[in-house]
């Protein structure tokens, strides 16, 4: 018996309703996140905490008197970026930051081969960039944005705890990343660099936005992966000695869920994504939100709808059966679609299926369900961070700015609005401004290097 369009939509709604999160659910996730953050900061529970709360050794925020040329590297996904940042003073003594950059894509064999191969490729890119800008003769201070979990021993020394986001290069985990970079530069021997700082992309984003708004004390990325950092009271950071002032903490909240905190919220699709990933059982929170996984979740939902005979007349196009075939950028394109459904139709066409209007609408509904859940999940994490800051500062009203970067946040047509609304709902007593970072990672790393250089000069090194 064929179903009417109304019946079909009702059945689709039923399947997609699993993605809906109520405010109570979000509060539960938020409180659990706060508990793990607390465990990550404390010495005795740090090892077993799923949210590692790594100290970054970034203490002071730039004051605006560092000048000079800096080189910036940014490695955090499939693209690697080299940037030349000129820091100077403008006409009225205000800050002036100029940048030139170039993107290089990282070949698969460098991502999953050996650490030596990866860092040799990186230094080859730097060499190419310096040639193009006739800068080979200069020994520049270098800031490295490295967006993976690192245990810092200082601003320029950090041990890679584990790869994420599809990287697997052997011989890097457990080693000092700055050391690997310095060794690769030495092996090439055709240029010199002074690596002064390594930071996470969330930290670089926060610092970069701090220039525009001095109330920016939180950095967040929603791109390939998802993570956040914020300024914590140093007395709460038990892994670092000292009680005075604040230090930026890289939460590494993407790993939240490793101790079962998200089990009741994980759907069958999440479990499949996790089981078929390079790091099963790890980064579960990130796998619900990050762009690396969102398209795959939608693909699995579409296959479920096909199996239930609610989509494509019950027949899945061959291409849709291939893991990773439904890219996250399709979600942004489909949800940006005007009324004529042209984008959805073209994308589905590329999968080799002749879609009806109903098919197009159902695919859009699936995309919206997955991306809305991602925005809400992410909001619970950020609300946890901001509420914690308000409490530890004993402020009745916290006015704060959050610097944000990442392709999902920037390119998805409604992620931002859904996310902002959910965060504000969960943070009464806080006035939050969201600032979208432009070229955040590279510029932020260079500015942190500028601070490090200034500090070194002041200490007479």
């Amino acid at each position: 018996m064929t179903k009417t369009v109304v019946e079909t939509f009702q059945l689709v709604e039923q399947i997609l309703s699993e993605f809906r999160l109520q405010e109570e659910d979000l509060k539960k996730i938020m409180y659990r996140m706060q508990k793990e953050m607390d465990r990550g900061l404390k010495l005795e529970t740090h090892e077993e905490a799923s949210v590692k709360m790594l100290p970054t050794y970034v203490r002071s925020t730039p004051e605006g008197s560092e000048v000079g040329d800096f080189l910036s590297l940014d490695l955090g996904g499939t693209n690697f970026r080299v940037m030349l940042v000129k820091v100077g003073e403008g006409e009225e003594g205000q800050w002036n930051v100029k940048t030139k950059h170039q993107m290089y894509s990282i070949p698969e064999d460098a991502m999953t081969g050996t650490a030596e191969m990866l860092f040799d490729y990186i230094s080859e890119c730097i060499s190419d960039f310096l040639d193009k800008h006739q800068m080979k003769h200069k020994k520049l201070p270098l800031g490295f944005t490295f967006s993976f979990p690192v245990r810092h021993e200082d601003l320029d020394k950090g041990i890679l705890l584990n790869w994420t986001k599809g990287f697997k290069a052997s011989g890097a985990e457990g080693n000092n990343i700055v050391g690997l970079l310095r060794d690769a530069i030495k092996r090439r021997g055709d240029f010199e660099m002074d690596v002064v700082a390594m930071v996470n992309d969330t930290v670089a984003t926060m610092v970069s936005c701090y220039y525009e708004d001095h109330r920016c004390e939180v950095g967040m990325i929603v791109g390939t992966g998802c993570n956040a950092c914020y300024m914590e009271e140093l007395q709460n950071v038990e892994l670092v000695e000292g009680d005075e002032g604040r230090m930026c903490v890289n939460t590494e909240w993407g790993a939240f869920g490793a101790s079962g905190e998200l089990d009741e919220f994980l759907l069958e699709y999440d479990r499949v994504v996790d089981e078929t990933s390079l790091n099963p059982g790890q980064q579960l929170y990130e796998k619900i939100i990050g762009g690396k996984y969102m398209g795959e979740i939608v693909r699995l939902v579409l296959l479920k709808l096909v199996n239930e005979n609610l989509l494509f007349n019950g027949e899945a196009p061959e291409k849709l059966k291939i893991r990773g075939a439904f890219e996250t950028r399709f979600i942004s394109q489909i949800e940006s679609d005007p009324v004529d459904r042209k984008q959805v139709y073209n994308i589905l066409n590329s999968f080799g299926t002749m879609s009806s209007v109903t098919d197009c609408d159902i695919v859009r509904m699936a995309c919206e369900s997955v991306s809305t859940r991602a925005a809400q999940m992410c909001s619970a994490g950020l609300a946890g961070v901001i509420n914690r800051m308000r409490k530890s500062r004993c402020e009745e009203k916290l006015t704060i700015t959050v610097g944000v970067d990442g392709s999902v946040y920037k390119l998805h047509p409604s992620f931002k609005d859904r996310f902002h609304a959910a965060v504000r709902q969960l943070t009464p007593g806080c006035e939050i401004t969201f600032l979208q970072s432009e070229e955040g990672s590279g510029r932020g790393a260079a500015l942190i290097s500028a601070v490090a250089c200034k500090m070194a000069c002041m200490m007479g090194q």
Side-chain angles (χ1 to χ4, degrees):
M1 197 181 93
T2 53
K3 300 178 199 65
T4 66
V5 171
V6 173
E7 285 170 335
T8 299
F9 277 126
Q10 282 172 337
L11 290 165
V12 169
E13 259 303 318
Q14 220 172 316
I15 287 171
L16 297 179
S17 67
E18 285 192 297
F19 284 93
R20 257 186 229 123
L21 294 167
Q22 305 306 323
E23 192 175 346
E24 285 317 300
D25 297 327
L26 296 178
K27 282 183 176 165
K28 196 185 272 187
I29 295 161
M30 176 178 84
Y31 294 136
R32 286 178 191 173
M33 175 71 85
Q34 287 180 320
K35 187 178 164 202
E36 281 307 300
M37 286 171 67
D38 211 46
R39 280 157 47 83
L41 286 168
K42 289 193 165 46
L43 258 178
E44 56 180 319
T45 47
H46 173 79
E47 275 312 308
E48 70 213 36
S50 64
V51 179
K52 284 290 178 235
M53 305 296 281
L54 304 167
T56 63
Y57 288 81
V58 171
R59 300 164 194 264
S60 57
T61 25
E63 289 315 322
S65 54
E66 306 85 20
V67 292
D69 290 350
F70 296 87
L71 201 70
S72 210
L73 311 181
D74 183 2
L75 176 67
T78 41
N79 289 325
F80 166 69
R81 190 166 54 160
V82 185
M83 189 188 274
L84 178 64
V85 181
K86 287 182 176 296
V87 180
E89 281 195 28
E91 276 145 40
E92 287 141 30
Q94 85 279 30
W95 261 92
N96 195 350
V97 181
K98 290 198 173 81
T99 59
K100 292 176 186 167
H101 71 266
Q102 188 169 340
M103 282 288 210
Y104 298 89
S105 74
I106 298 189
E108 184 74 26
D109 57 348
M111 282 170 71
T112 55
T114 65
E116 227 169 69
M117 285 161 69
L118 177 61
F119 284 92
D120 282 346
Y121 177 74
I122 287 172
S123 61
E124 186 187 322
C125 296
I126 301 172
S127 176
D128 172 75
F129 183 86
L130 293 171
D131 273 338
K132 284 188 175 135
H133 295 282
Q134 283 101 38
M135 302 282 282
K136 269 264 170 78
H137 57 288
K138 287 181 102 171
K139 184 178 181 179
L140 298 175
L142 183 145
F144 187 14
T145 304
F146 183 76
S147 312
F148 299 93
V150 164
R151 170 158 294 122
H152 275 270
E153 289 169 21
D154 209 334
L155 194 54
D156 67 344
K157 187 173 185 196
I159 309 299
L160 173 65
L161 296 175
N162 54 282
W163 285 118
T164 55
K165 296 178 284 198
F167 276 73
K168 259 287 188 260
S170 61
E173 293 179 347
N175 283 315
N176 174 18
I177 292 300
V178 174
L180 293 173
L181 176 62
R182 283 177 179 144
D183 292 348
I185 291 172
K186 215 173 270 168
R187 275 196 297 277
R188 264 198 88 82
D190 63 342
F191 64 89
E192 282 189 276
M193 279 290 136
D194 181 17
V195 187
V196 292
M198 174 170 67
V199 292
N200 185 272
D201 53 352
T202 56
V203 184
T205 296
M206 180 189 80
V207 170
S208 170
C209 288
Y210 178 85
Y211 274 85
E212 288 168 59
D213 181 343
H214 278 18
R215 284 186 306 218
C216 183
E217 293 190 83
V218 182
M220 190 182 83
I221 303 281
V222 195
T224 307
C226 180
N227 190 18
C229 71
Y230 71 104
M231 297 303 286
E232 175 61 90
E233 309 306 307
L234 191 53
Q235 65 196 30
N236 297 334
V237 187
E238 293 188 5
L239 277 76
V240 176
E241 282 181 24
D243 287 336
E244 289 302 303
R246 293 175 182 152
M247 180 179 282
C248 181
V249 168
N250 164 20
T251 64
E252 283 299 335
W253 76 16
F256 179 62
S259 317
E261 311 92 323
L262 289 168
D263 284 6
E264 66 186 278
F265 301 105
L266 296 179
L267 307 179
E268 57 187 287
Y269 323 103
D270 300 313
R271 297 184 194 280
V272 173
V273 165
D274 179 46
E275 283 156 17
T276 53
S277 69
L278 279 173
N279 52 351
Q282 298 177 316
Q283 303 295 111
L284 295 174
Y285 185 62
E286 177 168 82
K287 284 171 183 166
I288 292 173
I289 303 166
K292 182 167 176 58
Y293 312 98
M294 209 189 281
E296 182 61 6
I297 297 172
V298 170
R299 186 186 74 87
L300 295 167
V301 172
L302 298 182
L303 288 178
K304 162 99 169 185
L305 295 170
V306 171
N307 289 341
E308 298 287 331
N309 209 4
L310 298 168
L311 186 63
F312 307 145
N313 293 320
E315 281 185 42
E318 283 309 307
K319 194 179 164 192
L320 193 64
K321 295 176 186 169
I322 301 165
R323 193 172 134 233
F326 198 92
E327 297 173 42
T328 297
R329 65 187 172 93
F330 295 162
I331 300 175
S332 293
Q333 288 165 3
I334 287 168
E335 290 192 53
S336 304
D337 226 6
V339 193
D340 64 8
R341 306 178 177 83
K342 215 183 213 147
Q343 295 267 38
V344 198
Y345 192 76
N346 288 342
I347 288 167
L348 295 179
N349 225 2
S350 73
F351 278 87
T353 170
M354 290 303 289
S355 321
S356 64
V357 166
T358 307
D359 287 336
C360 289
D361 289 346
I362 289 172
V363 169
R364 182 175 178 136
M365 285 163 70
C367 290
E368 284 172 352
S369 298
V370 173
S371 66
T372 301
R373 179 186 68 153
Q376 291 180 318
M377 269 285 178
C378 190
S379 76
L382 186 66
V385 169
I386 290 175
N387 286 330
R388 177 191 167 84
M389 291 171 85
R390 182 172 84 107
K391 198 172 159 192
S392 66
R393 294 177 185 193
C394 306
E395 291 187 20
E396 204 167 309
K397 185 174 189 194
L398 178 69
T399 303
I400 196 154
T401 297
V402 180
V404 198
D405 204 346
S407 51
V408 172
Y409 184 85
K410 283 180 163 173
L411 304 176
H412 187 283
S414 43
F415 184 94
K416 232 186 272 174
D417 296 336
R418 294 172 191 158
F419 170 70
H420 294 170
V423 173
R424 290 190 171 116
Q425 199 177 352
L426 294 168
T427 52
C430 301
E431 195 175 304
I432 306 166
T433 303
F434 292 94
L435 195 54
Q436 192 166 299
S437 159
E438 300 308 326
E439 298 191 319
S441 289
R443 199 173 65 162
L447 296 170
I448 290 166
S449 305
V451 176
C453 287
K454 186 175 101 173
M455 297 281 197
C457 293
M458 281 162 59
M459 289 155 89
Q461 287 173 349

